[in-house]
Every structure is written in structure tokens, then in C-alpha cells.
Short mmCIF file of all heavy atoms in Angstrom, two decimals:
data_model
loop_
_atom_site.label_atom_id
_atom_site.label_comp_id
_atom_site.label_asym_id
_atom_site.label_seq_id
_atom_site.Cartn_x
_atom_site.Cartn_y
_atom_site.Cartn_z
N MET A 1 110.34 94.10 104.12
CA MET A 1 109.48 94.53 103.05
C MET A 1 108.55 93.41 102.60
O MET A 1 107.48 93.67 102.09
CB MET A 1 110.31 95.03 101.88
CG MET A 1 110.97 96.37 102.15
SD MET A 1 111.99 97.00 100.83
CE MET A 1 110.85 97.16 99.50
N LEU A 2 108.97 92.16 102.80
CA LEU A 2 108.12 91.05 102.37
C LEU A 2 106.87 90.90 103.23
O LEU A 2 105.98 90.14 102.88
CB LEU A 2 108.92 89.75 102.35
CG LEU A 2 109.98 89.67 101.27
CD1 LEU A 2 110.74 88.36 101.38
CD2 LEU A 2 109.39 89.83 99.89
N GLU A 3 106.80 91.63 104.35
CA GLU A 3 105.59 91.62 105.16
C GLU A 3 104.46 92.36 104.44
O GLU A 3 103.29 92.11 104.69
CB GLU A 3 105.84 92.26 106.51
CG GLU A 3 106.75 91.44 107.39
CD GLU A 3 107.05 92.13 108.70
OE1 GLU A 3 106.35 93.10 109.05
OE2 GLU A 3 108.00 91.71 109.36
N ARG A 4 104.82 93.26 103.57
CA ARG A 4 103.82 94.02 102.82
C ARG A 4 103.22 93.10 101.77
O ARG A 4 103.93 92.40 101.05
CB ARG A 4 104.49 95.23 102.19
CG ARG A 4 103.51 96.17 101.59
CD ARG A 4 104.18 97.42 101.12
NE ARG A 4 103.35 98.00 100.09
CZ ARG A 4 103.30 99.27 99.82
NH1 ARG A 4 104.05 100.10 100.48
NH2 ARG A 4 102.53 99.72 98.87
N GLU A 5 101.90 93.10 101.67
CA GLU A 5 101.19 92.13 100.83
C GLU A 5 101.64 92.14 99.37
O GLU A 5 101.86 91.08 98.78
CB GLU A 5 99.69 92.38 100.91
CG GLU A 5 98.87 91.35 100.19
CD GLU A 5 97.38 91.60 100.33
OE1 GLU A 5 96.96 92.45 101.15
OE2 GLU A 5 96.63 90.93 99.62
N ASP A 6 101.79 93.32 98.77
CA ASP A 6 102.14 93.35 97.36
C ASP A 6 103.55 92.81 97.10
O ASP A 6 103.78 92.10 96.12
CB ASP A 6 101.97 94.74 96.74
CG ASP A 6 102.67 95.84 97.49
OD1 ASP A 6 103.14 95.60 98.62
OD2 ASP A 6 102.73 96.95 96.95
N PHE A 7 104.49 93.06 97.99
CA PHE A 7 105.83 92.51 97.84
C PHE A 7 105.82 90.99 98.03
O PHE A 7 106.45 90.25 97.29
CB PHE A 7 106.80 93.14 98.84
CG PHE A 7 107.19 94.54 98.50
CD1 PHE A 7 106.61 95.61 99.14
CD2 PHE A 7 108.16 94.79 97.53
CE1 PHE A 7 106.97 96.90 98.84
CE2 PHE A 7 108.53 96.09 97.22
CZ PHE A 7 107.92 97.15 97.87
N HIS A 8 105.09 90.57 99.06
CA HIS A 8 105.01 89.13 99.34
C HIS A 8 104.39 88.38 98.16
O HIS A 8 104.92 87.36 97.72
CB HIS A 8 104.20 88.89 100.61
CG HIS A 8 104.01 87.44 100.92
ND1 HIS A 8 105.04 86.66 101.42
CD2 HIS A 8 102.94 86.63 100.77
CE1 HIS A 8 104.58 85.42 101.57
NE2 HIS A 8 103.32 85.38 101.18
N ASN A 9 103.27 88.88 97.67
CA ASN A 9 102.60 88.22 96.54
C ASN A 9 103.50 88.17 95.31
O ASN A 9 103.53 87.16 94.60
CB ASN A 9 101.29 88.92 96.21
CG ASN A 9 100.25 88.73 97.28
OD1 ASN A 9 100.36 87.85 98.13
ND2 ASN A 9 99.24 89.57 97.27
N ALA A 10 104.22 89.23 95.05
CA ALA A 10 105.12 89.25 93.89
C ALA A 10 106.25 88.24 94.06
O ALA A 10 106.65 87.58 93.10
CB ALA A 10 105.69 90.64 93.69
N SER A 11 106.76 88.09 95.28
CA SER A 11 107.84 87.12 95.49
C SER A 11 107.34 85.68 95.36
O SER A 11 108.04 84.82 94.84
CB SER A 11 108.50 87.33 96.85
OG SER A 11 107.65 86.95 97.89
N VAL A 12 106.12 85.43 95.80
CA VAL A 12 105.55 84.09 95.72
C VAL A 12 105.25 83.71 94.27
O VAL A 12 105.53 82.60 93.83
CB VAL A 12 104.26 83.99 96.58
CG1 VAL A 12 103.53 82.69 96.32
CG2 VAL A 12 104.61 84.10 98.05
N THR A 13 104.70 84.66 93.51
CA THR A 13 104.32 84.38 92.12
C THR A 13 105.46 84.67 91.14
O THR A 13 105.29 84.49 89.95
CB THR A 13 103.10 85.21 91.72
OG1 THR A 13 103.42 86.60 91.81
CG2 THR A 13 101.90 84.89 92.58
N LYS A 14 106.60 85.12 91.66
CA LYS A 14 107.77 85.46 90.83
C LYS A 14 107.45 86.56 89.83
O LYS A 14 107.97 86.60 88.73
CB LYS A 14 108.31 84.23 90.09
CG LYS A 14 108.62 83.05 90.98
CD LYS A 14 109.78 83.33 91.88
CE LYS A 14 110.17 82.05 92.62
NZ LYS A 14 110.65 82.27 93.94
N SER A 15 106.55 87.48 90.23
CA SER A 15 106.19 88.61 89.38
C SER A 15 107.23 89.72 89.51
O SER A 15 107.97 89.78 90.48
CB SER A 15 104.83 89.19 89.80
OG SER A 15 103.83 88.20 89.68
N ARG A 16 107.24 90.59 88.54
CA ARG A 16 108.14 91.74 88.57
C ARG A 16 107.54 92.86 89.39
O ARG A 16 106.33 93.06 89.42
CB ARG A 16 108.40 92.26 87.16
CG ARG A 16 109.19 91.31 86.32
CD ARG A 16 109.46 91.94 84.99
NE ARG A 16 110.23 91.04 84.16
CZ ARG A 16 110.77 91.38 83.01
NH1 ARG A 16 110.59 92.60 82.54
NH2 ARG A 16 111.46 90.52 82.32
N LEU A 17 108.40 93.60 90.05
CA LEU A 17 108.00 94.80 90.77
C LEU A 17 108.79 95.97 90.22
O LEU A 17 110.00 95.84 90.00
CB LEU A 17 108.31 94.68 92.27
CG LEU A 17 107.39 93.82 93.11
CD1 LEU A 17 107.96 93.64 94.50
CD2 LEU A 17 106.02 94.45 93.20
N PRO A 18 108.15 97.11 90.01
CA PRO A 18 108.90 98.27 89.55
C PRO A 18 109.96 98.69 90.58
O PRO A 18 109.74 98.57 91.79
CB PRO A 18 107.83 99.35 89.42
CG PRO A 18 106.54 98.65 89.39
CD PRO A 18 106.73 97.37 90.13
N CYS A 19 111.08 99.17 90.11
CA CYS A 19 112.16 99.62 91.01
C CYS A 19 111.67 100.69 91.98
O CYS A 19 112.15 100.75 93.11
CB CYS A 19 113.33 100.15 90.22
SG CYS A 19 114.20 98.88 89.31
N THR A 20 110.73 101.50 91.54
CA THR A 20 110.25 102.58 92.41
C THR A 20 109.60 102.04 93.68
O THR A 20 109.58 102.73 94.70
CB THR A 20 109.26 103.48 91.66
OG1 THR A 20 108.22 102.67 91.11
CG2 THR A 20 109.94 104.24 90.55
N ASN A 21 109.10 100.83 93.65
CA ASN A 21 108.50 100.24 94.86
C ASN A 21 109.52 100.07 95.97
O ASN A 21 109.16 100.02 97.14
CB ASN A 21 107.85 98.89 94.55
CG ASN A 21 106.55 99.03 93.81
OD1 ASN A 21 106.17 100.12 93.41
ND2 ASN A 21 105.86 97.94 93.62
N PHE A 22 110.79 99.96 95.62
CA PHE A 22 111.81 99.76 96.64
C PHE A 22 112.25 101.08 97.28
O PHE A 22 112.97 101.08 98.27
CB PHE A 22 113.00 99.02 96.05
CG PHE A 22 112.64 97.61 95.67
CD1 PHE A 22 112.30 97.29 94.37
CD2 PHE A 22 112.59 96.62 96.63
CE1 PHE A 22 111.94 96.01 94.02
CE2 PHE A 22 112.22 95.32 96.29
CZ PHE A 22 111.89 95.01 94.99
N TYR A 23 111.79 102.20 96.75
CA TYR A 23 112.08 103.50 97.35
C TYR A 23 111.04 103.88 98.39
O TYR A 23 111.24 104.81 99.15
CB TYR A 23 112.13 104.60 96.28
CG TYR A 23 113.16 104.37 95.21
CD1 TYR A 23 112.81 104.49 93.87
CD2 TYR A 23 114.47 104.02 95.52
CE1 TYR A 23 113.76 104.28 92.88
CE2 TYR A 23 115.41 103.81 94.54
CZ TYR A 23 115.05 103.95 93.22
OH TYR A 23 115.97 103.74 92.24
N ILE A 24 109.94 103.18 98.43
CA ILE A 24 108.83 103.52 99.31
C ILE A 24 109.26 103.62 100.78
O ILE A 24 108.92 104.59 101.44
CB ILE A 24 107.65 102.53 99.14
CG1 ILE A 24 107.03 102.72 97.76
CG2 ILE A 24 106.60 102.71 100.23
CD1 ILE A 24 106.03 101.66 97.38
N PRO A 25 110.01 102.66 101.32
CA PRO A 25 110.39 102.78 102.74
C PRO A 25 111.23 104.02 103.03
O PRO A 25 111.20 104.54 104.13
CB PRO A 25 111.19 101.50 103.01
CG PRO A 25 110.70 100.55 101.99
CD PRO A 25 110.39 101.37 100.78
N GLY A 26 111.96 104.51 102.05
CA GLY A 26 112.74 105.73 102.25
C GLY A 26 111.88 106.94 102.53
O GLY A 26 112.34 107.92 103.11
N ALA A 27 110.63 106.88 102.12
CA ALA A 27 109.72 107.99 102.36
C ALA A 27 109.47 108.19 103.85
O ALA A 27 109.07 109.27 104.27
CB ALA A 27 108.41 107.77 101.63
N GLY A 28 109.69 107.18 104.65
CA GLY A 28 109.51 107.30 106.09
C GLY A 28 110.59 108.11 106.77
O GLY A 28 110.44 108.52 107.92
N TYR A 29 111.69 108.38 106.06
CA TYR A 29 112.79 109.13 106.67
C TYR A 29 112.41 110.56 107.01
O TYR A 29 113.01 111.16 107.90
CB TYR A 29 114.03 109.11 105.76
CG TYR A 29 115.21 109.80 106.40
CD1 TYR A 29 115.91 109.19 107.43
CD2 TYR A 29 115.57 111.08 106.02
CE1 TYR A 29 116.96 109.82 108.04
CE2 TYR A 29 116.62 111.72 106.63
CZ TYR A 29 117.31 111.10 107.64
OH TYR A 29 118.35 111.74 108.25
N ASP A 30 111.40 111.12 106.34
CA ASP A 30 110.99 112.49 106.66
C ASP A 30 110.54 112.60 108.12
O ASP A 30 110.72 113.64 108.74
CB ASP A 30 109.92 113.00 105.71
CG ASP A 30 108.65 112.17 105.71
OD1 ASP A 30 108.66 111.05 106.26
OD2 ASP A 30 107.64 112.62 105.15
N SER A 31 110.02 111.53 108.68
CA SER A 31 109.62 111.53 110.09
C SER A 31 110.83 111.71 110.99
O SER A 31 110.76 112.40 112.02
CB SER A 31 108.93 110.21 110.46
OG SER A 31 107.81 110.00 109.64
N VAL A 32 111.95 111.13 110.60
CA VAL A 32 113.19 111.26 111.37
C VAL A 32 113.73 112.68 111.22
O VAL A 32 114.10 113.33 112.20
CB VAL A 32 114.25 110.24 110.89
CG1 VAL A 32 115.58 110.46 111.58
CG2 VAL A 32 113.76 108.82 111.13
N ALA A 33 113.80 113.15 109.97
CA ALA A 33 114.36 114.48 109.70
C ALA A 33 113.58 115.58 110.42
O ALA A 33 114.17 116.54 110.91
CB ALA A 33 114.39 114.73 108.20
N LEU A 34 112.27 115.43 110.49
CA LEU A 34 111.42 116.44 111.14
C LEU A 34 111.25 116.19 112.63
O LEU A 34 110.68 117.03 113.33
CB LEU A 34 110.04 116.46 110.48
CG LEU A 34 110.01 116.89 109.02
CD1 LEU A 34 108.63 116.68 108.43
CD2 LEU A 34 110.43 118.34 108.90
N GLU A 35 111.73 115.03 113.11
CA GLU A 35 111.50 114.61 114.49
C GLU A 35 110.02 114.75 114.83
O GLU A 35 109.63 115.35 115.83
CB GLU A 35 112.37 115.41 115.46
CG GLU A 35 113.86 115.17 115.23
CD GLU A 35 114.75 115.90 116.19
OE1 GLU A 35 114.27 116.36 117.25
OE2 GLU A 35 115.96 116.01 115.89
N ALA A 36 109.19 114.19 113.96
CA ALA A 36 107.74 114.33 114.06
C ALA A 36 107.16 113.63 115.29
O ALA A 36 107.61 112.55 115.66
CB ALA A 36 107.08 113.76 112.80
N ASP A 37 106.19 114.29 115.90
CA ASP A 37 105.44 113.69 117.00
C ASP A 37 104.19 113.00 116.48
O ASP A 37 103.77 111.98 117.00
CB ASP A 37 105.03 114.74 118.02
CG ASP A 37 106.22 115.36 118.73
OD1 ASP A 37 107.20 114.64 119.00
OD2 ASP A 37 106.17 116.56 119.01
N VAL A 38 103.59 113.61 115.45
CA VAL A 38 102.35 113.11 114.87
C VAL A 38 102.46 113.25 113.36
O VAL A 38 102.98 114.25 112.87
CB VAL A 38 101.12 113.91 115.36
CG1 VAL A 38 99.85 113.43 114.67
CG2 VAL A 38 100.99 113.84 116.86
N GLU A 39 101.99 112.25 112.64
CA GLU A 39 101.94 112.35 111.18
C GLU A 39 100.61 111.76 110.72
O GLU A 39 100.21 110.69 111.17
CB GLU A 39 103.10 111.61 110.54
CG GLU A 39 103.25 111.92 109.07
CD GLU A 39 104.55 111.41 108.48
OE1 GLU A 39 105.43 110.93 109.21
OE2 GLU A 39 104.67 111.49 107.25
N LEU A 40 99.95 112.48 109.85
CA LEU A 40 98.65 112.05 109.34
C LEU A 40 98.79 111.60 107.89
O LEU A 40 99.57 112.16 107.14
CB LEU A 40 97.63 113.20 109.40
CG LEU A 40 97.38 113.80 110.77
CD1 LEU A 40 96.46 115.00 110.66
CD2 LEU A 40 96.80 112.78 111.73
N GLY A 41 98.01 110.60 107.52
CA GLY A 41 98.01 110.14 106.14
C GLY A 41 96.86 109.19 105.91
O GLY A 41 96.26 108.68 106.86
N GLY A 42 96.57 108.97 104.66
CA GLY A 42 95.51 108.05 104.29
C GLY A 42 95.98 106.61 104.42
O GLY A 42 97.14 106.33 104.71
N THR A 43 95.07 105.69 104.18
CA THR A 43 95.42 104.27 104.28
C THR A 43 96.48 103.89 103.26
O THR A 43 97.25 102.96 103.50
CB THR A 43 94.18 103.38 104.08
OG1 THR A 43 93.56 103.71 102.84
CG2 THR A 43 93.19 103.57 105.21
N ASP A 44 96.57 104.64 102.15
CA ASP A 44 97.60 104.35 101.17
C ASP A 44 99.00 104.75 101.67
O ASP A 44 100.00 104.32 101.12
CB ASP A 44 97.30 105.06 99.85
CG ASP A 44 97.21 106.56 100.00
OD1 ASP A 44 96.69 107.03 101.03
OD2 ASP A 44 97.66 107.28 99.09
N GLN A 45 99.06 105.53 102.74
CA GLN A 45 100.33 105.97 103.31
C GLN A 45 100.71 105.19 104.57
O GLN A 45 101.73 105.46 105.19
CB GLN A 45 100.27 107.46 103.64
CG GLN A 45 100.14 108.33 102.42
CD GLN A 45 101.37 108.23 101.54
OE1 GLN A 45 102.49 108.33 102.03
NE2 GLN A 45 101.17 107.99 100.26
N LYS A 46 99.88 104.24 104.95
CA LYS A 46 100.10 103.54 106.22
C LYS A 46 101.48 102.91 106.31
O LYS A 46 102.17 103.02 107.33
CB LYS A 46 99.03 102.45 106.41
CG LYS A 46 99.14 101.72 107.72
CD LYS A 46 98.04 100.69 107.88
CE LYS A 46 98.19 99.93 109.17
NZ LYS A 46 97.17 98.88 109.31
N PHE A 47 101.93 102.27 105.25
CA PHE A 47 103.24 101.62 105.26
C PHE A 47 104.34 102.65 105.51
O PHE A 47 105.23 102.43 106.32
CB PHE A 47 103.46 100.87 103.94
CG PHE A 47 104.75 100.10 103.90
CD1 PHE A 47 104.95 98.99 104.69
CD2 PHE A 47 105.78 100.50 103.05
CE1 PHE A 47 106.13 98.28 104.64
CE2 PHE A 47 106.97 99.79 103.00
CZ PHE A 47 107.14 98.68 103.80
N ASN A 48 104.28 103.79 104.81
CA ASN A 48 105.28 104.84 104.99
C ASN A 48 105.29 105.35 106.43
O ASN A 48 106.36 105.58 107.00
CB ASN A 48 105.01 106.01 104.05
CG ASN A 48 105.16 105.64 102.61
OD1 ASN A 48 105.63 104.57 102.27
ND2 ASN A 48 104.75 106.53 101.74
N LEU A 49 104.11 105.55 106.99
CA LEU A 49 104.01 106.05 108.36
C LEU A 49 104.61 105.06 109.35
O LEU A 49 105.32 105.44 110.28
CB LEU A 49 102.56 106.34 108.71
CG LEU A 49 101.86 107.41 107.87
CD1 LEU A 49 100.37 107.48 108.23
CD2 LEU A 49 102.51 108.76 108.04
N LEU A 50 104.33 103.79 109.16
CA LEU A 50 104.87 102.77 110.06
C LEU A 50 106.38 102.61 109.90
O LEU A 50 107.10 102.41 110.88
CB LEU A 50 104.15 101.44 109.83
CG LEU A 50 102.66 101.45 110.18
CD1 LEU A 50 102.02 100.11 109.82
CD2 LEU A 50 102.44 101.77 111.65
N VAL A 51 106.88 102.75 108.69
CA VAL A 51 108.32 102.72 108.47
C VAL A 51 108.96 103.92 109.17
O VAL A 51 110.02 103.80 109.78
CB VAL A 51 108.67 102.69 106.97
CG1 VAL A 51 110.15 102.96 106.74
CG2 VAL A 51 108.28 101.35 106.37
N GLY A 52 108.28 105.06 109.10
CA GLY A 52 108.78 106.24 109.81
C GLY A 52 108.94 105.99 111.30
O GLY A 52 109.93 106.39 111.91
N ARG A 53 107.99 105.29 111.88
CA ARG A 53 108.08 104.94 113.31
C ARG A 53 109.30 104.06 113.59
O ARG A 53 110.03 104.27 114.55
CB ARG A 53 106.81 104.21 113.77
CG ARG A 53 105.58 105.08 113.84
CD ARG A 53 104.32 104.27 114.16
NE ARG A 53 104.43 103.48 115.36
CZ ARG A 53 104.10 103.91 116.58
NH1 ARG A 53 103.62 105.12 116.74
NH2 ARG A 53 104.22 103.12 117.63
N GLU A 54 109.51 103.07 112.74
CA GLU A 54 110.66 102.17 112.90
C GLU A 54 111.98 102.94 112.77
O GLU A 54 112.92 102.72 113.53
CB GLU A 54 110.61 101.04 111.89
CG GLU A 54 109.47 100.07 112.07
CD GLU A 54 109.58 99.26 113.35
OE1 GLU A 54 110.72 98.90 113.75
OE2 GLU A 54 108.54 99.00 113.97
N LEU A 55 112.05 103.82 111.78
CA LEU A 55 113.27 104.61 111.57
C LEU A 55 113.53 105.54 112.75
O LEU A 55 114.68 105.73 113.16
CB LEU A 55 113.17 105.41 110.27
CG LEU A 55 113.26 104.59 108.98
CD1 LEU A 55 112.95 105.47 107.78
CD2 LEU A 55 114.64 103.97 108.85
N GLN A 56 112.47 106.12 113.30
CA GLN A 56 112.65 106.98 114.46
C GLN A 56 113.25 106.20 115.62
O GLN A 56 114.16 106.70 116.29
CB GLN A 56 111.32 107.61 114.87
CG GLN A 56 110.90 108.73 113.95
CD GLN A 56 109.58 109.33 114.36
OE1 GLN A 56 108.61 108.62 114.64
NE2 GLN A 56 109.53 110.66 114.38
N ARG A 57 112.77 105.01 115.86
CA ARG A 57 113.34 104.18 116.94
C ARG A 57 114.80 103.86 116.66
O ARG A 57 115.64 103.90 117.56
CB ARG A 57 112.53 102.90 117.10
CG ARG A 57 111.24 103.10 117.85
CD ARG A 57 110.62 101.77 118.27
NE ARG A 57 109.97 101.07 117.19
CZ ARG A 57 108.69 101.21 116.87
NH1 ARG A 57 107.92 102.03 117.56
NH2 ARG A 57 108.17 100.54 115.88
N ALA A 58 115.12 103.58 115.40
CA ALA A 58 116.51 103.26 115.04
C ALA A 58 117.43 104.46 115.25
O ALA A 58 118.62 104.28 115.53
CB ALA A 58 116.57 102.80 113.58
N TYR A 59 116.89 105.67 115.14
CA TYR A 59 117.67 106.88 115.33
C TYR A 59 117.57 107.42 116.76
O TYR A 59 117.98 108.52 117.05
CB TYR A 59 117.24 107.96 114.35
CG TYR A 59 117.85 107.81 112.97
CD1 TYR A 59 117.30 106.95 112.04
CD2 TYR A 59 119.01 108.49 112.63
CE1 TYR A 59 117.85 106.79 110.79
CE2 TYR A 59 119.58 108.34 111.38
CZ TYR A 59 119.00 107.49 110.46
OH TYR A 59 119.57 107.33 109.22
N GLY A 60 117.01 106.61 117.66
CA GLY A 60 116.93 106.99 119.06
C GLY A 60 115.86 108.02 119.38
O GLY A 60 115.91 108.65 120.43
N GLN A 61 114.90 108.19 118.50
CA GLN A 61 113.80 109.13 118.72
C GLN A 61 112.58 108.37 119.22
O GLN A 61 112.45 107.17 119.02
CB GLN A 61 113.42 109.86 117.43
CG GLN A 61 114.51 110.70 116.85
CD GLN A 61 114.10 111.34 115.53
OE1 GLN A 61 112.94 111.30 115.13
NE2 GLN A 61 115.06 111.93 114.85
N GLU A 62 111.70 109.10 119.88
CA GLU A 62 110.42 108.50 120.28
C GLU A 62 109.56 108.35 119.04
O GLU A 62 109.53 109.22 118.17
CB GLU A 62 109.72 109.40 121.29
CG GLU A 62 108.48 108.78 121.89
CD GLU A 62 107.87 109.63 122.98
OE1 GLU A 62 108.59 110.42 123.60
OE2 GLU A 62 106.65 109.48 123.20
N SER A 63 108.86 107.25 118.92
CA SER A 63 108.03 106.97 117.75
C SER A 63 106.84 107.93 117.68
O SER A 63 106.20 108.21 118.68
CB SER A 63 107.50 105.54 117.77
OG SER A 63 108.55 104.64 117.71
N GLN A 64 106.58 108.39 116.47
CA GLN A 64 105.45 109.28 116.24
C GLN A 64 104.13 108.54 116.36
O GLN A 64 104.07 107.33 116.26
CB GLN A 64 105.55 109.88 114.84
CG GLN A 64 105.40 108.84 113.74
CD GLN A 64 105.67 109.39 112.37
OE1 GLN A 64 105.96 110.54 112.20
NE2 GLN A 64 105.54 108.55 111.36
N SER A 65 103.08 109.30 116.58
CA SER A 65 101.73 108.76 116.51
C SER A 65 101.27 108.90 115.07
O SER A 65 101.51 109.92 114.43
CB SER A 65 100.78 109.54 117.43
OG SER A 65 101.16 109.36 118.77
N CYS A 66 100.61 107.88 114.57
CA CYS A 66 100.12 107.91 113.18
C CYS A 66 98.62 107.89 113.16
O CYS A 66 97.99 107.24 113.94
CB CYS A 66 100.63 106.69 112.41
SG CYS A 66 102.40 106.56 112.33
#
């Protein structure tokens, strides 16, 4: 998660992050549940889509196209 700019910056500056920010990667699980081949989203969803790809690989599925 520290690869994401907002998390990294907060850790460097010792800023607070809302707890809800830590639920964001869980949003990628829908790709696993649906066994999605393709998922579309805006640039604000890019992190979720990429996490979905990682989770699919972890569950032995082929990674979706984003």
C-alpha cells in the first residue's frame, strides 16, 4: 500500500489517514468474485483495478484486463 502516493506521503510526513483508506484494496475482491475478464473504471479507480488483478493471480485466476 505504501507504493500508492497518498499512503507514502502520509507515512513520510507522519500525517493521519482515515481508516476508510485501508478498505480500498478490498474493493478489488469483486474482480475475484466475478472472475472478471475485463473491468472498466476511471483513473480514480486505477488502484482498485490493479489490486483486483493481483488478487486474481493470488486466487489462481487469469488477470483481468483493465
Side-chain angles (χ1 to χ4, degrees):
M1 288 179 61
L2 290 178
E3 291 177 15
R4 189 173 156 152
E5 185 178 349
D6 53 349
F7 286 101
H8 177 75
N9 291 343
S11 70
V12 170
T13 62
K14 306 292 187 214
S15 300
R16 292 183 180 189
L17 283 172
C19 291
T20 54
N21 285 7
F22 293 97
Y23 301 131
I24 292 170
Y29 183 74
D30 59 348
S31 302
V32 175
L34 296 172
E35 296 182 17
D37 294 324
V38 177
E39 192 169 353
L40 302 175
T43 55
D44 59 323
Q45 294 296 312
K46 182 178 178 183
F47 183 69
N48 295 350
L49 298 173
L50 295 176
V51 168
R53 290 174 55 90
E54 293 294 323
L55 288 172
Q56 284 179 314
R57 282 193 283 269
Y59 279 83
Q61 298 177 10
E62 187 175 335
S63 297
Q64 66 187 359
S65 295
C66 300

